[in-house]
């Protein structure tokens, strides 16, 4: 024990462990993933990857009924998937303490939207806590369990990219040893039927009112009167850090609890400062509530944007306190978009789909990167699992399914694609679904999943056989193929998309990051006719030098895909031993 | 004392380890420190940046803003160029001259700026540009490029060589310790005033 430097997400996991949590069930999603990965290293905690966030929250709720302290972690869009159990668990309340940890992504560093999870907390009717640094990540999650058990409520712990993915110094503490809170049958509380739900709702509003009152005294709602009382700032989370750096002499009310708001405390603070400002990234969540009480707010979203991230400079500028020094301009630097790795199994498929000019209803995973040049082989990406439903809807609307496919990864298929496939079978679709089975959840940093053969702790686990699963749904034509067999794959895609019946193609090859690559760099020989076919796979190792394709040996992993697409057999393996 | 170090490069180059080493070193030496990293999508070959803020007071925001970096460690030249506005006018730039072309450039849809070398020379307070990858390869592995760059910058940071070597010892696998220490010392030589 002592002080350690920890990622916000590691601090959350440490705090959960110290709080005596024994069950964690989550689905990965940047920037939340490392909480669960770190928790998996503690022997005292049962940690699992659920197939999706809805299951994760249900497992946590079951564990809470069983009397344990439980946790489910997800990214912001994951809470949409989990919203159903989450909203009703918010009414019933808990037995053992239960926390749902959600990480937002203002600035869209790795997400498809910038939604504001605080609204889910308010709409469901649960307290929402928001830490501002790694130490607070640990402290707040512990506090969240106390609140959960004291007030009989699920607690939403809200993080974000700059909290989850910043490191800071954290003081470690001891783990509390706690016994299970005995489960007692109580169908008036846990069976949410209309008659019960109406009563539960009354109790829920009562406890929220109580929390709003009590939290005026909580330390995490911290009034810091500065030398300057002309400016009073209400803020929370990472925005507190930006605002404090920007305006060190101003007065602050730093909220640790962002729902329900400590109304009395806020009104008092407002009366002690000349002008009140609310600084919060995203929607005017705190601001609008304060305005609705008739408390004047001198500046909020009229000064600051709803989009993206804030910074200390942005706040200084808004208050006219920036010296405005010019910096050099390097905005002519070309962008560097992310790419599929050298050796990535997905490249074979997208090379083929690009060549065939197929209409591709895409999905979310590493393979979404195939939407960018040179493959440009994706027409849509909405949310996890949407590829299948959208391809089906397109077919039903146009009556045409030729040269059209739905494409999604193994983890995404099990997350929420399977229900779309069942729908296709049931409603007699004729389309083609391609599952990219790379044996892992790649995009989020290589987590195990129900088809990968290992569990969250890295132990061997039963693996779902995707082919059998599709067949059991009623798909008659299921083809498994190595996506690097590009010639055969092209034939298979042509045949299956032409077929007047539903089909599934499963491309099988492990992610290049989880199996050792040959690491013998390939070279382009003088047999090369400069047709540039090899450049259409989008391998980061293939550049143009002196007007011809050239393989950068440091980047090449020797996967051999380029040799398979070269029509002139012009690419050789070198004999150089592995790097 | 406040020192802001921005570490920039291409996803997969090992920038994260460099920042974690700095973080531990700062903690062991009694400073407050915050780091901010990029995980997720950009780690697949995109432009990545890690912020390291060290202070003998309390660090607030974990992010370094334009014109606030005392040091930029650039694992790749175009990334040095992209992030240069973050350097203080009298800041120091340590740049690996190795280049990794971004896909839009490979495909001929965009161009790298002309005269990047000259631009960096002209606009960085001080600059040390060298082939850190080659130095790392000479020391034993191209993977040690992060330690080479840290070595180069080390004289500008308030830690003793002993403290550096100790933190390397505690952070890399045992069989790579000697190689990494060697790479660090080589980097330190490269970074010395000539
Ligand atoms: C509802 C929801 N949960 C989590 C995520 C984060 N996420 C993005 S892609 C992905 C999984 C990708 O795995 P897979 O489908 O196997 O494709 P791969 O990346 O391995 O190619 C996850 C979990 C998300 N975008 N939406
Ligand atoms: S991590 Fe794996 S699946 Fe993702 S791009 Fe790299 S090789 Fe492909
Ligand atoms: S250059 Fe060819 S062999 Fe090397 S990684 Fe790229 S596709 Fe694979």
């Amino acid at each position: 024990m002592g002080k350690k430097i920890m990622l916000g997400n590691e601090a959350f996991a440490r705090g959960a462990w110290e709080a005596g949590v024994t069950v964690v069930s989550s689905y990965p999603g940047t920037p939340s993933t490392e909480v669960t990965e770190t928790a998996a290293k503690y022997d005292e905690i049962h940690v699992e990857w659920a197939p999706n966030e809805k299951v994760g929250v249900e497992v946590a709720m079951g564990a809470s009924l069983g009397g344990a302290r439980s946790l489910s972690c997800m990214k912001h869009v994951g809470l949409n998937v989990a919203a159903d159990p989450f909203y009703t668990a918010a009414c019933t309340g808990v037995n053992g303490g239960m926390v749902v940890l959600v990480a937002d992504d203002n600035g869209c560093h790795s997400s498809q939207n910038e939604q504001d999870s605080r609204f889910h907390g308010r709409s469901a009717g649960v307290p929402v806590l928001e830490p501002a640094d790694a130490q607070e990540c640990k402290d707040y999650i512990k506090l969240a369990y106390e609140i959960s058990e004291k007030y009989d409520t699920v607690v939403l712990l809200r993080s974000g990219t700059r909290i989850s993915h910043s490191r800071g110094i954290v003081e470690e503490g001891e783990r509390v040893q706690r016994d299970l809170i005995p489960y007692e049958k109580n169908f008036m509380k846990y069976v949410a039927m209309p008659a019960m739900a109406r009563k539960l709702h009354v109790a829920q509003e009562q406890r929220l009112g109580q929390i709003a009152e009590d939290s005026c005294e909580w330390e995490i709602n911290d009034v810091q009167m500065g030398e300057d009382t002309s400016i009073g700032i209400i803020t929370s989370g990472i925005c507190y850090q930006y605002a404090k750096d920007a305006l060190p002499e101003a007065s602050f009310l730093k909220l640790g609890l962002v729902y329900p708001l400590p109304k009395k405390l806020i009104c008092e603070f407002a009366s002690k400062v000349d002008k009140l400002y609310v600084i919060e990234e995203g929607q005017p969540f705190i601001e609008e509530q304060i305005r609705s009480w008739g408390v004047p707010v001198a500046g909020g979203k009229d000064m600051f944007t709803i989009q993206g991230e804030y910074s200390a400079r942005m706040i200084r500028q808004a208050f006219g306190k920036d010296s405005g020094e010019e910096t050099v301009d390097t905005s002519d630097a070309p962008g560097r978009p992310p790419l599929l790795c050298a050796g990535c199994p997905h490249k074979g498929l997208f090379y083929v789909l690009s060549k065939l000019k197929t209409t591709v209803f895409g999905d979310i995973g590493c393979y979404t990167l195939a939407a960018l040049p040179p493959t440009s082989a994706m027409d849509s990406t909405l949310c996890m699992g949407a590829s299948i439903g959208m391809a089906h809807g397109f077919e039903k609307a146009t009556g045409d399914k030729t040269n059209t496919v739905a494409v999604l990864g193994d983890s995404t298929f099990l997350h929420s694609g399977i229900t779309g496939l069942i729908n296709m079978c049931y409603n007699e679709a004729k389309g083609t679904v391609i599952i990219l089975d790379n044996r892992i959840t790649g995009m989020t940093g290589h987590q195990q999943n129900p088809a990968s053969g290992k569990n969250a702790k890295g132990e061997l686990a039963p693996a779902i056989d995707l082919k059998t699963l599709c067949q059991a749904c009623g798909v008659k034509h299921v083809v498994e193929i190595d996506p690097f067999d590009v010639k055969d794959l092209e034939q298979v895609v042509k045949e299956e998309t032409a077929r007047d019946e539903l089909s599934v193609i499963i491309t099988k090859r492990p992610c290049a990051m989880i199996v050792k690559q040959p690491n013998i760099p390939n070279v382009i020989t003088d047999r090369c006719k400069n047709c540039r076919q090899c450049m259409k796979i989008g391998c980061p190792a293939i550049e143009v030098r002196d007007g011809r394709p050239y393989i950068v040996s440091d980047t090449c992993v020797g996967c051999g895909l380029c040799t398979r697409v070269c029509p002139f057999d012009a690419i050789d393996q070198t004999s150089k031993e592995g790097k | 004392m406040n020192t802001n170090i921005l570490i920039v490069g291409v996803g997969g180059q090992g920038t994260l380890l460099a920042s974690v080493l700095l973080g531990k070193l700062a903690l062991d030496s009694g400073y407050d420190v915050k780091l901010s990293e990029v995980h997720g999508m950009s780690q697949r070959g995109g432009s990545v940046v890690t912020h390291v803020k060290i202070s003998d007071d309390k660090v607030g925001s974990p992010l370094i803003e334009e014109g606030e970096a005392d040091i930029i460690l650039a694992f790749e030249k175009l990334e040095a160029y992209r992030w240069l506005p973050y350097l203080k006018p009298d800041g120091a730039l340590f740049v690996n001259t190795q280049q990794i072309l971004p896909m839009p450039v490979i495909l001929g849809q965009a161009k790298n700026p002309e005269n990047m070398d000259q631009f960096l020379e002209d606009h960085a307070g001080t600059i040390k540009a060298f082939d850190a990858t080659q130095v790392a390869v000479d020391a034993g592995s191209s993977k040690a490029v992060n330690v080479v760059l840290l070595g180069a910058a080390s004289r500008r940071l308030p830690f003793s060589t002993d403290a550096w070597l100790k933190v390397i010892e505690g952070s890399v696998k045992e069989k790579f310790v000697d190689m990494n220490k060697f790479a660090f010392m080589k980097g330190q030589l490269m970074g010395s005033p000539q």
Side-chain angles (χ1 to χ4, degrees), chain A residues 501-513:
Chain A
E501 246 180 319
L502 177 61
S503 59
V504 173
I505 302 169
I506 305 175
T507 62
K508 290 180 83 97
R509 178 176 273 257
C511 161
M513 294 286 125

Side-chain angles (χ1 to χ4, degrees), chain A residues 340-341 344-346 366 438 446 511-513, chain B residues 44:
Chain A
L340 294 171
C341 306
C344 174
H346 301 336
C366 284
N438 63 349
H446 309 100
C511 161
M513 294 286 125
Chain B
R44 306 264 168 282

Side-chain angles (χ1 to χ4, degrees), chain A residues 207-498:
Chain A
R207 64 183 173 248
L208 283 170
Q210 192 64 49
I211 292 171
E213 214 175 293
D214 295 357
S215 62
C216 293
E217 309 292 328
W218 293 356
E219 264 174 37
I220 59 166
N221 290 327
D222 184 17
V223 176
Q224 307 168 359
M225 294 312 289
E227 286 160 30
D228 182 359
T229 52
S230 68
I231 299 178
I233 292 171
I234 297 185
T235 183
S236 68
I238 192 67
C239 287
Y240 166 77
Q241 306 289 4
Y242 301 148
K244 190 84 180 171
D245 273 8
L247 307 165
E249 60 302 313
S251 298
F252 280 84
L253 169 50
K254 173 181 179 291
L255 295 175
L257 180 78
V258 294
Y259 188 79
L261 291 174
K263 185 172 174 183
K264 202 170 90 226
L265 186 70
I266 289 174
C267 294
E268 257 170 47
F269 178 73
S271 71
K272 285 192 224 152
V273 297
D274 299 346
K275 281 189 170 166
L276 187 70
Y277 298 86
V278 180
I279 303 183
E280 53 186 329
E281 282 174 358
Q283 299 288 326
F285 178 80
I286 299 172
E287 177 189 346
E288 281 184 352
Q289 292 181 69
I290 295 179
R291 283 190 196 274
S292 76
W293 306 331
V295 175
V297 176
K301 289 297 158 187
D302 40 2
M303 285 170 78
F304 297 100
T305 171
I306 284 178
Q307 296 130 35
E309 299 187 275
Y310 291 3
S311 69
R313 164 154 310 160
M314 180 195 240
I315 295 168
R316 267 196 301 272
Q317 273 167 355
F319 284 87
K321 300 201 174 188
D322 192 58
S323 56
E325 266 171 55
E326 283 290 307
T327 50
V328 286
D329 179 15
T330 60
S331 56
D332 61 338
R336 190 187 295 277
L339 304 163
L340 294 171
C341 306
C344 174
H346 301 336
K347 284 184 199 289
L349 175 69
F350 288 99
Y351 168 79
V352 167
L353 295 178
S354 172
K355 188 170 170 196
L356 296 176
K357 301 198 164 49
T358 306
T359 300
V360 179
F361 289 94
D363 222 298
I364 306 194
C366 284
Y367 46 90
T368 313
L369 295 170
L372 303 176
T375 43
S376 306
M378 203 165 279
D379 292 74
S380 73
T381 297
L382 187 66
C383 66
M384 287 189 75
S387 55
I388 301 186
M390 286 181 69
H392 178 68
F394 193 81
E395 175 190 329
K396 291 294 175 193
T398 61
D400 185 12
K401 51 133 281 185
T402 47
N403 206 15
T404 300
V405 295
V407 172
L408 75 177
D410 48 355
S411 183
T412 301
F413 178 68
L414 294 169
H415 175 278
S416 48
I418 177 78
T419 40
L421 186 66
I422 291 170
N423 182 53
M424 278 184 115
C425 291
Y426 174 46
N427 289 304
E428 296 176 278
K430 298 186 168 149
T432 301
V433 173
I434 303 180
I435 305 172
L436 295 152
D437 182 7
N438 63 349
R439 316 292 305 165
I440 204 81
T441 314
M443 178 90 276
T444 41
H446 309 100
Q447 291 74 34
Q448 305 298 335
N449 69 47
S452 71
K454 284 194 182 154
N455 65 21
K457 297 235 177 198
E459 303 149 348
L460 290 180
I464 281 206
D465 183 56
L466 295 175
K467 182 175 182 181
T468 314
L469 179 61
C470 294
Q471 285 168 334
C473 293
V475 186
K476 290 204 202 84
H477 307 278
V478 185
V479 188
E480 290 181 323
I481 185 166
D482 177 352
F484 274 20
D485 288 342
V486 281
K487 290 206 178 74
D488 292 351
L489 179 60
E490 185 176 331
Q491 200 48 41
V492 167
V493 171
K494 279 187 188 160
E495 272 168 26
E496 296 305 328
T497 53

Side-chain angles (χ1 to χ4, degrees), chain A residues 86-323:
Chain A
F86 176 69
Y87 275 60
T88 302
C91 296
T92 64
V94 301
N95 185 31
M98 170 165 162
V99 173
V100 173
L101 191 156
V102 64
D104 285 2
D105 189 19
N106 290 358
C108 278
H109 294 274
S110 342
S111 307
Q112 66 266 43
N113 74 14
E114 284 190 300
Q115 72 184 41
D116 189 332
S117 295
R118 296 175 298 175
F119 286 92
H120 267 314
R122 183 182 182 189
S123 176
V126 297
V128 183
L129 293 178
E130 188 175 4
D133 63 22
Q135 179 68 50
E136 288 186 3
C137 289
K138 202 199 83 170
D139 297 343
Y140 282 28
I141 195 167
K142 291 170 81 173
L143 179 67
Y145 284 101
E146 284 169 32
I147 295 171
S148 175
E149 283 169 7
K150 174 164 180 203
Y151 294 94
D152 185 13
T153 178
V154 173
V155 175
L156 185 64
L157 186 56
R158 184 208 191 206
S159 184
T161 299
R162 301 300 183 184
I163 298 297
S164 281
H165 286 165
S166 291
R167 285 175 207 263
I169 298 174
V170 177
E171 179 101 47
E172 292 177 323
E174 303 273 1
R175 175 175 165 93
V176 296
Q177 285 304 335
R178 58 186 293 292
D179 299 326
L180 292 180
I181 300 172
Y183 167 69
E184 277 164 34
K185 184 166 174 149
N186 183 352
F187 77 101
M188 287 304 288
K189 174 167 158 68
Y190 296 124
V191 180
M193 289 162 69
M196 292 77 147
R198 283 190 285 270
K199 291 205 178 97
L200 289 169
H201 195 184
V202 175
Q204 183 186 14
E205 290 306 318
Q206 228 159 29
R207 64 183 173 248
L208 283 170
Q210 192 64 49
I211 292 171
E213 214 175 293
D214 295 357
S215 62
C216 293
E217 309 292 328
W218 293 356
E219 264 174 37
I220 59 166
N221 290 327
D222 184 17
V223 176
Q224 307 168 359
M225 294 312 289
E227 286 160 30
D228 182 359
T229 52
S230 68
I231 299 178
I233 292 171
I234 297 185
T235 183
S236 68
I238 192 67
C239 287
Y240 166 77
Q241 306 289 4
Y242 301 148
K244 190 84 180 171
D245 273 8
L247 307 165
E249 60 302 313
S251 298
F252 280 84
L253 169 50
K254 173 181 179 291
L255 295 175
L257 180 78
V258 294
Y259 188 79
L261 291 174
K263 185 172 174 183
K264 202 170 90 226
L265 186 70
I266 289 174
C267 294
E268 257 170 47
F269 178 73
S271 71
K272 285 192 224 152
V273 297
D274 299 346
K275 281 189 170 166
L276 187 70
Y277 298 86
V278 180
I279 303 183
E280 53 186 329
E281 282 174 358
Q283 299 288 326
F285 178 80
I286 299 172
E287 177 189 346
E288 281 184 352
Q289 292 181 69
I290 295 179
R291 283 190 196 274
S292 76
W293 306 331
V295 175
V297 176
K301 289 297 158 187
D302 40 2
M303 285 170 78
F304 297 100
T305 171
I306 284 178
Q307 296 130 35
E309 299 187 275
Y310 291 3
S311 69
R313 164 154 310 160
M314 180 195 240
I315 295 168
R316 267 196 301 272
Q317 273 167 355
F319 284 87
K321 300 201 174 188
D322 192 58
S323 56

Side-chain angles (χ1 to χ4, degrees), chain A residues 341-344 347 484 517 520-524 534 537-542 550-553 555-563 571 573:
Chain A
C341 306
C344 174
K347 284 184 199 289
F484 274 20
Q517 297 296 304
I520 304 171
N522 285 16
V523 284
I524 299 179
C534 60
I537 57 181
C539 176
I542 309 181
Y550 172 86
I551 296 178
V552 182
S553 60
T555 316
C556 172
V557 298
C559 72
L561 181 60
C562 53
T563 64
I571 307 178
Q573 288 206 328

